Amino acid sequence: MADVILVLNAGSSSIKFSAFDVAGGALDLAAHGQVEGLFSSPRFVAFNAKGEKTGEHAWAEGTKLEHADAILHLVAFLRGRAAGHSLVGMGHRVVHGGARFTKPVLTNDEVLDELETLTPLAPLHQPHNLKPIRIIAERNPGLPQVACFDTAFHATQAPLAQAFALPESITKQGVKRYGFHGLSYEYIASALPGIAPDAAKGRTVVAHLGNGASLCAMHAGKSVASTMGFTAVDGLMMGTRSGNIDPGVILYMLDELGMNARDIEDVLYRKSGLLGVSGISGDMRALLASSDERARFAIDLYVYRIGRELGSMGAALQGLDAIVFTAGIGEHSKEIRQRVCEQAAWWGIELDAQANDRGDPRISTASSKVSAWVIPTNEELMIARHTLALIEGASA
Ligand code: AMP
C-alpha cells in the first residue's frame, strides 16, 4: 500500500491541491489541480504528474460552492483513484504563524484556536487557509494535518529588520514586519546548494514575481530582510496590490476622498498594482501583449519599483552576490528578467541574453560580478516535505 500526502492551498475563492506519493522518503507528485471560482462559476480540474487532464467538473453558472463542499468533491475524486494508496497526512498552506509559530506544526484544536486569533493580521487569507483543516478534522479526526506558514522562513530576521518606528503601545500588539512567500523562499534556499552553491552561501536576493510579489534578502540561505511587512500588501507593485505607499495617502483617502476602511482595502488589494496603473489588466502577459501606453507605463513602474527595492535588500545584505527569479513572471517572462537585470547593471549584473531567452538556470555571463538565476519555485513540495517530516517525527 503506497502512502500519499495531500497538500491543500485554500484561498477565498479557490482550493488548489497536490497529491504526493511517498516513495522511500522521496516525494513524487502524483496529481494536482484545483477547484476555482467557488462563489461565481465553480470549476474543478485535475491533472496527473505528466500534466494530462484526469478529471473535470463544472457547476452551473452562479452556483455558490462552500469550501466544505469543494473539499468533499476533491476528496471523493481522489478516493475514486486511490486504490492501493493510503492517505497518511495533509499539509496546508497557512499565511500567518504570528510570533509563536516559526516552524510548521501538527494541528489540533488548541493550535487552530490560536491560529484563528491571527485572523486580524491576515483577514483575506487566514480564515480560508484554516477552514479546510477544521472541515477535515471533523470528518477524519485521526488524520495528521500540518500547518505550514508563509511567515515562518522570515523568523531568522533580526529585530531591527522586523521593527516599525511606531510607539510601543502599538508594536507590542504584534505590529511588526513578518514577511511572506516564505514557503517559496524556503524551497529556493533548499534548491540553491545544488544549482548555485556560491549563491547558497552568499548574499542573494530572491525575487518572487507572481500575482503577489516580493523580494527576500538571504544570507547563507537565511532570511535577513524582505519587502513584505506586516501584511502582504507592502513592498513591490503586484498584480492588483499597490505595494508600499506613503501612509499619508491612506489618511488622505479617509479624510478627503470619503472612503472607509473597506473601500481602501479594496483599492490597495484588488484595484491597484498592474491593474490599477494600466486600467487594463493585472496579468503581466496581457500587459506585455498590449500596445497601449498605459500598459507600458505600468510595466515601467513595475520594473522601476523592483530596482528600488533591490537596492534596499542589497543594503540590508551589505552587498550582493546573486539574484534569483522565481514564480509566474520570474520564471516565464524573459522580458521582465532582462529589464530588471539591465536596470540593476550598476550592481555588476551582466545578463547573458541567449541564456535568458532559453530560460537557462543561469542567465548571467560567466564574468558577471553578480550572478543571476531562474529557479522554478515549488511551495507544494515544501509543504509536503514538512508534513512528511512531522508525521515521521510524531511516529518515531
Ligand atoms: P503566479 O502567481 O506565480 O501564478 O504568477 C502569475 C503571473 O505570472 C501573472 O501576472 C501572469 O501573467 C504571469 N505570467 C505567467 N506566464 C507568463 C509569461 N510567459 N510571460 C509573462 N508573464 C507570465
Side-chain angles (χ1 to χ4, degrees):
M1 180 82 78
D3 289 347
V4 173
I5 285 179
L6 184 59
V7 171
L8 288 191
N9 180 355
S12 56
S13 65
S14 71
I15 300 176
K16 296 188 182 130
F17 77 93
S18 302
F20 291 87
D21 287 337
V22 183
L27 288 157
D28 297 325
L29 182 68
H32 67 105
Q34 60 186 327
V35 190
E36 60 185 3
L38 290 185
F39 301 106
S40 48
S41 46
R43 202 173 91 85
F44 166 76
V45 61
F47 303 91
N48 64 17
K50 290 188 212 142
E52 297 157 348
K53 202 182 281 176
T54 51
E56 205 172 8
H57 182 76
W59 286 259
E61 185 84 28
T63 303
K64 297 204 182 322
L65 193 70
E66 292 299 327
H67 281 73
D69 295 327
I71 288 169
L72 290 182
H73 183 87
L74 200 68
V75 169
F77 170 82
L78 291 169
R79 272 226 185 91
R81 296 165 178 260
H85 289 76
S86 151
L87 181 63
V88 291
M90 286 185 66
H92 300 263
R93 178 189 203 153
V94 176
V95 71
H96 224 300
R100 173 173 160 196
F101 298 106
T102 57
K103 282 191 225 150
V105 63
L106 270 166
T107 56
N108 55 32
D109 280 345
E110 184 264 327
V111 166
L112 289 175
D113 288 347
E114 172 135 3
L115 289 173
E116 269 161 9
T117 68
L118 300 171
T119 291
L121 301 185
L124 303 184
H125 295 98
Q126 194 83 345
H128 306 298
N129 300 158
L130 298 179
K131 210 182 275 180
I133 309 182
R134 292 267 194 214
I135 292 168
I136 288 155
E138 266 170 32
R139 288 171 173 79
N140 195 346
L143 183 71
Q145 295 197 78
V146 174
C148 300
F149 306 102
D150 262 322
T151 47
F153 184 70
H154 302 293
T156 51
Q157 289 180 12
L160 209 53
Q162 297 178 324
F164 288 119
L166 287 169
E168 198 191 17
S169 58
I170 296 173
T171 55
K172 76 176 182 204
Q173 311 292 330
V175 179
K176 62 172 192 167
R177 304 181 65 87
Y178 289 94
F180 297 89
H181 290 140
L183 292 158
S184 173
Y185 293 130
E186 189 180 10
Y187 174 78
I188 299 293
S190 77
L192 270 175
I195 299 170
D198 290 341
K201 286 184 248 150
R203 297 161 300 178
T204 296
V205 171
V206 182
H208 177 108
L209 307 178
N211 275 321
S214 69
L215 303 180
C216 177
M218 284 185 203
H219 194 198
K222 300 260 187 301
S223 174
V224 167
S226 113
T227 56
M228 279 182 169
F230 178 60
T231 65
V233 77
D234 196 9
L236 301 181
M237 175 175 171
M238 307 179 213
T240 63
R241 284 172 252 170
S242 63
N244 71 354
I245 58 168
D246 177 348
V249 174
I250 293 168
L251 298 176
Y252 177 82
M253 289 194 267
L254 268 172
D255 291 340
E256 303 298 328
L257 301 184
M259 296 166 72
N260 64 32
R262 295 288 74 77
D263 299 333
I264 295 173
E265 174 186 284
D266 201 34
V267 166
L268 296 180
Y269 280 89
R270 299 182 200 93
K271 294 186 173 154
S272 296
L274 292 171
L275 173 66
V277 175
S278 70
I280 297 170
S281 172
D283 193 292
M284 182 58 89
R285 261 171 308 197
L287 297 187
L288 287 167
S290 168
S291 54
D292 194 303
E293 218 168 275
R294 295 170 305 160
R296 264 301 111 192
F297 183 73
I299 297 171
D300 288 350
L301 185 57
Y302 185 85
V303 172
Y304 174 78
R305 293 282 311 118
I306 293 173
R308 288 274 299 261
E309 295 291 334
L310 185 60
S312 166
M313 294 296 106
L317 286 166
Q318 300 278 287
L320 192 57
D321 299 312
I323 173 168
V324 177
F325 292 92
T326 194
I329 297 170
E331 291 167 27
H332 302 297
S333 177
K334 56 187 177 191
E335 178 174 348
I336 298 298
R337 290 195 304 259
Q338 178 186 342
R339 291 190 54 181
V340 169
C341 288
E342 281 171 1
Q343 183 184 240
W346 68 274
W347 273 109
I349 300 178
E350 197 177 271
L351 188 73
D352 178 335
Q354 281 162 4
N356 184 45
D357 284 353
R358 288 192 301 266
D360 285 358
R362 181 174 175 136
I363 57 167
S364 54
T365 63
S367 59
S368 185
K369 192 168 142 272
V370 174
S371 61
W373 305 84
V374 181
I375 302 179
T377 195
N378 198 339
E379 291 152 295
E380 292 75 20
L381 178 59
M382 206 62 240
I383 295 171
R385 283 180 187 164
H386 284 307
T387 304
L388 181 61
L390 282 188
I391 294 171
E392 286 180 340
S395 62

